[in-house]
């Protein structure tokens, strides 16, 4: 009888140890997942964010002000899709909130854009080797009655001085935000996944401004080197830079007035499909380190 009880006790102890081991392993796995910094994907409008969010696993929705954050997993890695709203102010605020709340490992700002480069067509994608604020400008000195001369306006670098940027000659230059090399490499490595157009590296211009004047578009293309324009990327890049978070803009052409390319809203979904492949590639590289 004593031997039988001892045997039962041994089995119970072994079972308890195995359960404890499983529990510890599960706890370690949970802790490991919790320690992973999420990748943040930004899209201004619902058509530029929600398709990507639908592809995540275990999605939870969180809101802060007008901003919506879809928290989920992609290949068991945490990914957050942020619907920022349109414009520079919305994007800057949404980016700062996301960094403070979620401490992302990287930020990809993506969506549609208008073409500045006549060699690019609708459905082509521009990887933001550089992003620039094309709305930060300083006018020339003209007295009343002398009109306005937009082509004589010069760039104003708001990050160049803590004093009055308008009076600081060091601020009279273009501020470019460089795309992160690792994110850019991941995006370039999956170029062939985008079948509806070509994928190129270029300069993304941003401003709270919608340019429909072709000569004005050409002026930015010639003076700033812009490939496309949109209304969010430079604001996100500026805030990401302030927090030292890796950043990349990825924008698809939804139209191009310089060569007659007509607007196509389906480009928003096509861009998210490509960005999905970029994120998967970047996650695989993170896991491989």
């Amino acid at each position: 009888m004593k031997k039988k009880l001892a045997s039962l006790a041994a089995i119970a102890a072994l079972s308890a140890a195995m359960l404890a081991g499983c529990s510890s392993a599960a706890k370690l796995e949970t802790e490991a997942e919790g320690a992973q910094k999420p990748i943040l994907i930004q899209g201004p409008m619902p058509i530029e964010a929600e398709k990507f969010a639908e592809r995540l696993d275990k999605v939870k929705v969180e809101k802060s002000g007008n901003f919506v954050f879809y928290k989920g997993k992609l290949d068991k890695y945490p990914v957050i899709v942020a619907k920022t709203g349109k414009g520079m102010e919305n994007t800057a605020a949404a980016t700062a909130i996301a960094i403070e709340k979620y401490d992302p490992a990287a930020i990809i700002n993506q969506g549609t854009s208008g073409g500045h480069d006549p060699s690019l067509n609708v459905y082509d994608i521009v990887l933001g080797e550089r992003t620039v604020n094309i709305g930060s400008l300083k006018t020339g000195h003209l007295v009343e009655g002398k009109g306005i001369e937009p082509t004589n306006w010069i760039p104003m670098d708001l990050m160049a001085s803590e004093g009055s940027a308008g009076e600081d000659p060091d601020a009279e230059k273009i501020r470019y935000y460089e795309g992160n090399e690792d994110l850019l490499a991941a995006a370039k490595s999956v170029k062939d996944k985008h079948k509806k157009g070509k994928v190129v590296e270029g300069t993304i211009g941003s401003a709270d401004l919608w340019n429909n004047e072709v000569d004005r578009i050409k002026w930015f293309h010639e003076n700033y080197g812009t490939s496309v324009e949109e209304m969010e990327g430079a604001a996100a890049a500026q805030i990401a830079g302030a927090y030292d978070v890796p950043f990349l803009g990825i924008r698809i052409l939804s139209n191009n007035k310089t060569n007659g390319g007509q607007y196509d809203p389906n480009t928003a979904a096509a861009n998210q499909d490509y960005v999905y492949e970029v994120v998967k590639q970047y996650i695989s590289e993170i896991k491989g380190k």
Side-chain angles (χ1 to χ4, degrees), residues 135-253:
S136 184
L137 295 159
K138 180 180 177 181
T139 75
H141 295 284
L142 291 175
V143 298
E144 186 178 359
K146 292 298 182 179
I148 58 175
E149 296 288 347
T151 56
N152 291 331
W153 295 355
I154 59 177
M156 185 168 59
D157 181 6
L158 299 177
M159 306 297 289
S161 172
E162 292 189 1
S164 173
E167 300 301 324
D168 186 350
D170 291 336
E172 295 176 0
K173 63 181 187 298
I174 301 173
R175 165 75 65 168
Y176 291 104
Y177 300 97
E178 303 293 328
N180 176 261
E181 290 183 2
D182 291 338
L183 287 168
L184 195 55
K188 288 163 63 177
S189 72
V190 294
K191 280 184 178 182
D192 62 332
K193 300 288 186 179
H194 180 60
K195 307 295 185 183
K196 297 182 177 179
K198 58 182 177 287
V199 179
V200 302
E201 295 161 64
T203 299
I204 298 172
S206 312
D208 282 327
L209 184 67
W210 189 307
N211 286 300
N212 282 316
E213 300 167 333
V214 174
D215 287 341
R216 182 68 170 167
I217 291 169
K218 288 182 176 179
W219 186 87
F220 279 118
H221 179 57
E222 291 167 3
N223 289 277
Y224 284 72
T226 47
S227 309
V228 293
E229 74 166 56
E230 35 87 315
M231 302 175 73
E232 295 86 22
Q238 180 177 327
I239 301 302
Y243 285 90
D244 198 27
V245 178
F247 174 87
L248 182 67
I250 301 178
R251 291 285 175 157
I252 194 167
L253 275 76

Side-chain angles (χ1 to χ4, degrees), residues 69-105:
F69 301 96
Y70 302 90
K71 298 175 60 181
K73 295 286 183 72
L74 197 167
D75 290 344
K76 298 182 180 180
Y77 192 92
V79 172
I80 299 173
V81 176
K83 187 166 60 178
T84 64
K86 293 186 289 185
M88 302 285 271
E89 293 82 4
N90 277 332
T91 304
T95 305
I97 289 168
I99 292 172
E100 289 285 355
K101 285 187 70 173
Y102 306 119
D103 190 23

